[in-house]
């Protein structure tokens, strides 16, 4: 029987190949596959055997008889499934795009089949199997007759759904549901379901969508995972081989190649945390199925355990549960997303790491799987230990040599954090935001990233897809907290160009109370280079944490430099006079995102600060804390002709009111070379419930910047006279913690060790 | 000794009276007080005896030795107090306004004295008494030398603080702290503290601030409460009498008069929930002290237990813990505010109502008082029962005949709720918002009120006081969800005029699944009258709750009518074409709040809806639900010449960026008479975490309005064909639940009972 199935698989492939234009490729493939045939493994005939096996089922059946988190999860799911059972089965002809009725129906159908199937496994009650069977048979009837979806997306076409991506997700769930009820079916029922629904979907996603299937991209991962898992259930080893090594088994695409290329050695996914989380699902699910069926592949050990690293990294790239909204990202996505629930459970099933239980506990979602049971039992026993949110470097690029995402933090998930993005572009979902940053504190975004302009699945909002404003605003440089030259985005807003370059990380150094990193990019603009150094410093005897930001810009000729700060909160005060537009608003510019900003107010810093070198903006965040951004004025730009602070609000050129209301201030300098030196200072508390306000004003009195060849320093004077010097050695050479440097300031020598040191100093000037 | 003190009291008063210009009044008062002298009660000499007595102390001392909520609260407070003890005592010369250093320092001082004093009572450890004593002695040294505060407010001057109000709060806490350590002091220490701090503060707040002291207003309540409580501690019965019956004991002012006038018979406080909460503190605290010292006054039974009613009403006027932001109100104020913690504890001490424990549990704040102990012990036993958030009428005016606040809700604190404001102006803190409303759902504001424009205690924001924009925006009619005629606020924005009038409540009717109320006002504009009828309806077989709003406007000549909806969320869609301002924004008007609105977009409804009588706006709230506002177009305004929907955003003419970003749409009609008929429909769910969207579009297909003399009906047709008729009998006559009416529509008679009924009907037209 196994052999016959394999033959079927092969002959199907051969049929496909015959259709292909390239006879040569087909012939070569034929030879390759024929010779491979004898080598293909024979899979166990037991069901289920994907994410869950029979041993898991036995353990779960025992667990649901005993009180605990797992029993609770089972009872809740059973009620949900029972409610579904009394609804008539509906498998509509596909009509709608994302968010529309048929789209959501097919989504809820696959989830329902999956859930009902697992309840069948746990209870043995035939009615559940019958329900899944009936629905599968309807799909088996519908699927073969389907043309391409009427609202299909050209890049990745579907039949049941507008996107092939959704189709793969459907198949992944559906084949698991089929696996759950496999033993309850008659051979003829199996034949109808396989021939009508599973096999055509597999063929559609693989042979008939070769571009997506072979693509080293998350769409490819979903497709290969769904097809590979189907291969295990239908006992088609060839499907698994194709899933792993691409359609022609060339290894140019396929799951293994994706594992090798899509994650950096630190488990960072090139497109950023939002897609990392999404991509995790097929990676960990298929990997689990591989582990069950072919443990000899040691899939979880592959590339030094890259999958477990990727799961850990996904969690690490979150703040107060929400994933960092880098690149195209919907900001409400959190660590309790189903992909990470699966990821954490599967990882815990492998490594029993009690820190993962901390996350599992916050997810409030116990899976009805063998790994879910392990998690539930461990949580019942209170085995969890705090997941450490520590400063870390996440290198980008498959070799880890294409820039990095730098995360600086204090240990708890809601302490101060800096996210400094010196990564690659991140392909089509990437933003033109080289060396941008975000600042978090006390649970909230303080200096923020817009994320994606999209209302997922809301038809009225551009069919639920990415809005036009995602391109015209969210991806543009001005939408981020980084340098914009001459009102033009990095790489002139061209993805192809952007994909060719990446920032250079100069260093990342972590000590107690001081984390610092530096990166630069020379190709975002034709003649402008910029280097950014950021530090998170804790001053123990002030009981305070500050962020320091040095943005050094060099060019061959004068340019207009804009450094925006997208702040979250209500403006409280500025140290300078603002000239506010009272009765008319105009747009700030005409292109590259500037056309979406209203200019609210403008301040001439050069004029306003004749005897003050500091410009300060203070705002109040919803978290009840004040934040002061203090920045040097007019000091390091010898040839600066203008220096302004602009206050802008998002919303212009937005005919469909698609944009969220956000505010920013923009430090604009016209110069050839310029160094922005800034500091963010969280302070005080506004407690309107208890009616008190503490420390509503900044305590930073003065900033001074010094540069001596490779040595650099920022002097901070507080209003109470305390002074600190953040001394940095910017050398490209390797540095040890024992390397000694001396920076001379006003005739005084300040020795320091290592890459950087924060010195408390006496009065300098 | 008591007699001597009384004599002192009398002679002080006499000295004061002699200073007065009116010799006649002084003489009469002298006679009255002299004859009263013999009647004044003699208070017990035991201390403490205000909110806490010796019996309470004994019970609390026992409780802190046993595990439980009370012990936890004690331990936490003791740690806090111990931390305070190691700080040097600082009693600075007053300099700053609200939010400034000396302001906050004196506030934290009185709190610290109070807390340290109670810890002394509970532990008997002398170091606590010593700390309080030392601070009191510093105040005794400072206070007599103080001039009026340099940043004083003319209306209510202070010495330690910019407002006498804060001074009264200081005294109320300070005299309790003094009471706590009284027994530990030597007679000479008592003499110094009383002569230097307590007595001068009492005299300043009473004799030297007669206008505030005698005022029937929350400032008066604070002053009288502080002075009266001081009277009990210092054994000055005359101070108590003055506190109760005003300086001259005329009963024209004073605490009893305040109790009689400031609350309606339903326990509604004329200024609204924000100030109700604030005013509660001196009311319940002083009442508790009266009850301890002079139980024969039966203060808590006064006026049918008005104080307990007021406490209950304060809680009832909240949604998802936050107080309804009516009039000048800071929106973060919640039921866990210290005033309500005190109120709930004191009320529970009297009536043992287990529903109050539900609130106490949510307050997470166990007071170290006898009542706090009762609450803690009851919570330890789990005695709490759900506080019922039900529909209710809160009449305004001391007789309950000056309009009302109508609250419609579904029972839980986070279900749908309508707040329909048909109250009086509410004096100086009132807004020009006759017949405005708010809508809440799923925990959030959906149609909202701006509340106050104020950043409490933030110096940089206008000294922490009410901002200029509180007057120019927050109080104006356009800032609310009610009718604005000719871009002019109600009563032309004049408080004096507004105080003279109030809406008329026509009816309030509550049935299962239908709550309805109607009110009107004829004097907000010269020739324009408007009547509003609102209903909250639950349609069980649609599993949905809707709000219906009928605003009927009549006039003698054509006017421009604006009905704004201040919506909370992101605009998703409208049923009509909007003409959006893309590159320039202008203000919507020039006065009465319109100068603060930017006009974002405009839609011509008359033109756009030739074959559609419904205009619909859909938005998405942060709670993940959609809200569709559907309103009739062009039907009931025979002589309407224009009909537009305007989209506006707050922020124009705001030089200091004091206003929050808010959006509104405004239904503008030019006509003589016009009836707005609208419906708010909560629907669907946007779950971006789980990536699904349900029912993002409205299911209301058509609204039709019928008026036949006193009978009125709104017909609702849903997209699935289901139809309902909300039939209303608007008669001014009394109606019983058995009153029968028949409304005829297109030749069909629809009988209904009582004030209003929701009928499911067949196709009408």
């Amino acid at each position: 029987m196994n052999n016959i199935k394999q033959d079927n698989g092969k002959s199907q492939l051969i049929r496909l190949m015959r259709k292909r234009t390239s006879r040569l490729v087909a012939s070569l493939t034929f030879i390759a596959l024929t010779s491979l045939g004898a080598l293909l493994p024979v899979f166990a005939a037991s069901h289920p055997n994907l994410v869950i096996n029979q041993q898991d089922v036995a353990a779960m059946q025992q667990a649901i008889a005993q009180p605990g988190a797992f029993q609770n999860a089972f009872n809740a799911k059973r009620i949900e499934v029972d409610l579904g059972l009394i609804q008539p089965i509906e498998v509509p002809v596909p009509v709608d795009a994302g968010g529309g009725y048929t789209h959501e129906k097919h989504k809820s159908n696959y989830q329902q089949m999956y859930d009902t199937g697992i309840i069948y496994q746990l209870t043995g009650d035939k009615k559940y199997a019958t329900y899944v069977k009936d629905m599968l048979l309807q799909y088996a009837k519908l699927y073969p007759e389907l043309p391409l979806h009427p609202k299909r997306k050209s890049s990745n076409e579907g039949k049941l759904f507008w996107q092939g991506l959704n189709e793969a997700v459907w198949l992944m769930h559906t084949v698991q549901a089929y696996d759950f009820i496999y033993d309850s079916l008659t051979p003829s029922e199996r034949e109808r379901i396989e021939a009508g629904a599973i096999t055509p979907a597999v063929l559609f996603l693989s042979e008939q969508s070769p571009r997506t299937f072979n693509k080293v991209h998350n769409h490819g991962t979903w497709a290969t995972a769904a097809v590979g898992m189907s291969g295990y259930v239908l006992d088609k080893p060839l499907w698994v081989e194709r899933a792993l090594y691409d359609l022609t088994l060339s290894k140019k695409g396929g799951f293994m190649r994706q594992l090798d290329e899509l994650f950096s050695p630190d488990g960072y996914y090139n497109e950023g945390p939002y897609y990392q989380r999404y991509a995790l699902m097929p990676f960990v699910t298929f990997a689990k199925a591989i582990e069950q069926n072919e443990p000899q592949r040691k899939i979880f050990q592959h590339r030094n355990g890259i999958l477990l690293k990727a799961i850990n990294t996904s969690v690490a790239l979150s703040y107060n549960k929400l994933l960092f909204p880098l690149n195209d990202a919907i900001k409400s996505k959190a660590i309790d997303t189903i992909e990470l629930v699966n990821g954490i459970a599967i990882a815990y099933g492998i490594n029993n790491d009690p820190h993962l239980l901390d996350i599992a506990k916050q997810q409030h979602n116990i899976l009805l799987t063998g790994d879910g049971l392990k998690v539930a039992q461990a949580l019942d026993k209170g085995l969890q230990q705090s997941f450490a949110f520590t400063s870390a470097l996440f290198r980008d690029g498959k070799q880890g040599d294409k820039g990095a995402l730098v995360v600086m933090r204090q240990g708890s998930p809601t302490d101060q954090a800096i996210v400094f993005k010196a990564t690659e572009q991140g392909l089509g979902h990437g933003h033109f935001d080289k060396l941008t940053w975000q600042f978090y504190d006390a649970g909230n975004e303080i200096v923020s990233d817009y994320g994606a302009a999209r209302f997922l699945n809301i038809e009225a909002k551009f069919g639920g897809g990415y809005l036009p404003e995602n391109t015209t605003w969210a991806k543009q440089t001005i939408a981020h907290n980084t340098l914009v030259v001459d009102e033009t985005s990095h790489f002139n807003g061209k993805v192809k160009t952007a994909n060719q370059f990446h920032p250079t990380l100069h260093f990342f150094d972590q000590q107690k109370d001081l984390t610092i990193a530096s990166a630069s990019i020379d190709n975002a603009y034709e003649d402008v280079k910029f280097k950014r150094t950021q530090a998170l410093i804790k001053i123990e005897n002030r009981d305070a944490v500050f962020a320091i930001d040095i943005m050094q810009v060099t060019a061959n000729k004068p340019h207009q430099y804009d450094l925006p700060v997208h702040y979250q909160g209500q403006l409280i005060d500025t140290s300078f006079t603002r000239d506010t537009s009272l009765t008319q608003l105009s747009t700030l510019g005409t292109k590259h995102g500037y056309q979406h900003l209203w200019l609210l107010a403008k301040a001439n810093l050069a004029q306003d600060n004749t005897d003050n070198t500091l410009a300060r903006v203070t705002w109040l965040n919803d978290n009840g804390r004040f934040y002061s951004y203090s920045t040097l004025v007019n000091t390091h730009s010898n040839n600066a002709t203008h220096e302004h602070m602009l206050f802008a609000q998002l919303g212009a050129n937005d005919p469909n009111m698609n944009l969220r209301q956000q505010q920013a201030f923009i430090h604009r300098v016209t110069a050839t070379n310029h160094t922005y030196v800034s500091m963010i200072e969280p302070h005080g508390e506004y407690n309107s419930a208890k009616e008190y306000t503490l420390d509503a004003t900044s305590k930073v009195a003065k900033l001074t910047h010094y540069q001596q060849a490779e040595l650099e320093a920022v002097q901070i004077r507080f209003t109470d006279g305390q002074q600190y010097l953040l001394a940095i050695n910017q050398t490209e050479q390797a540095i040890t913690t024992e390397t000694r440097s001396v920076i001379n300031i006003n005739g005084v020598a300040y020795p320091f060790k290592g890459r950087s040191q924060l010195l408390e100093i006496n009065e300098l000037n």
Side-chain angles (χ1 to χ4, degrees), chain A residues 17 53 112 146 177 183 238 263 274 277 287 291 316 327 383 403 420 426 428 545 632 640-641 658 701-702 711:
Chain A
M17 290 302 157
N53 63 25
Q112 208 185 338
L146 288 181
D183 287 342
L238 193 57
F263 295 102
Y274 179 79
R277 168 274 324 169
E291 183 76 6
N327 296 332
L383 299 182
F420 178 25
V545 174
L632 269 184
T641 51
N658 285 339
K702 191 174 180 183
L711 302 184

Side-chain angles (χ1 to χ4, degrees), chain A residues 235-306:
Chain A
D235 207 359
K236 306 263 192 183
L238 193 57
W239 292 357
V240 176
E241 291 295 315
R242 288 171 174 176
L244 293 173
Y245 300 119
D246 98 3
L247 274 177
T248 61
L249 310 187
S250 75
K251 302 192 179 180
K252 286 180 187 159
F255 190 75
M256 298 310 291
R257 184 73 177 245
Q258 289 156 9
L259 268 182
D260 289 342
E261 295 205 358
L262 291 179
F263 295 102
S264 81
D266 296 328
Y268 179 77
Y269 185 77
N270 187 262
E271 296 183 295
Y274 179 79
Y275 280 96
Q276 167 142 2
R277 168 274 324 169
Y278 189 62
L280 263 191
M281 187 77 162
F283 272 117
V284 299
T285 309
F286 186 28
K288 177 76 186 181
I290 295 170
E291 183 76 6
Q292 299 262 28
N293 286 276
E294 303 181 89
Q296 69 281 8
R297 290 193 191 265
K298 298 192 193 314
I299 191 75
F300 283 105
Q301 283 88 65
H302 184 75
R303 224 185 140 202
N304 292 319
I306 190 68

Side-chain angles (χ1 to χ4, degrees), chain A residues 151-191:
Chain A
K151 298 208 174 149
R152 64 188 170 277
K153 292 197 140 184
S154 61
S155 59
N156 180 9
E157 297 170 332
K159 285 184 160 185
L160 284 169
F161 297 91
W162 66 332
Q163 288 196 82
L165 179 60
N166 299 108
E167 202 102 349
V169 182
W170 175 88
L171 178 57
M172 182 189 277
H173 286 78
T174 300
V175 78
Q176 289 183 77
Y178 176 61
D179 190 31
F180 291 148
I181 66 157
Y182 188 93
D183 287 342
S184 77
L185 299 171
T186 66
S188 97
E189 285 164 348
R190 288 177 198 154
E191 168 58 24

Side-chain angles (χ1 to χ4, degrees), chain A residues 136 139-140 143 170-171 173-179 190-205 226-227 229-231 233-234 239:
Chain A
L136 283 170
Y139 273 106
Y143 203 92
W170 175 88
L171 178 57
H173 286 78
T174 300
V175 78
Q176 289 183 77
Y178 176 61
D179 190 31
R190 288 177 198 154
E191 168 58 24
R192 279 159 64 199
I193 291 165
E194 293 185 11
I198 311 289
T199 303
V202 164
L203 297 181
F204 173 68
L205 288 169
V227 168
M229 288 168 71
S230 302
V233 178
L234 271 63
W239 292 357

Side-chain angles (χ1 to χ4, degrees), chain A residues 628-688:
Chain A
S628 286
Y629 181 88
S630 300
T631 190
L632 269 184
V633 175
N634 231 359
T635 44
H636 280 267
S637 168
N638 296 326
N639 53 356
T641 51
H642 298 290
E643 185 157 14
H644 289 93
M645 195 70 89
L646 314 176
F647 290 80
Q649 182 175 308
L650 193 54
N653 277 295
D654 181 18
N656 297 312
M657 293 165 109
N658 285 339
L659 293 168
R660 297 193 308 268
Q661 291 176 298
Q662 299 278 303
Q663 294 199 323
F665 53 89
I666 302 167
H667 190 172
R668 173 172 289 182
V669 176
T670 306
T672 299
N673 299 325
H674 186 77
T675 300
Y676 292 94
V677 179
S678 317
M679 175 165 175
I680 285 197
E681 170 200 9
H683 56 92
E685 186 185 352
Y686 175 64
N687 191 323
S688 65

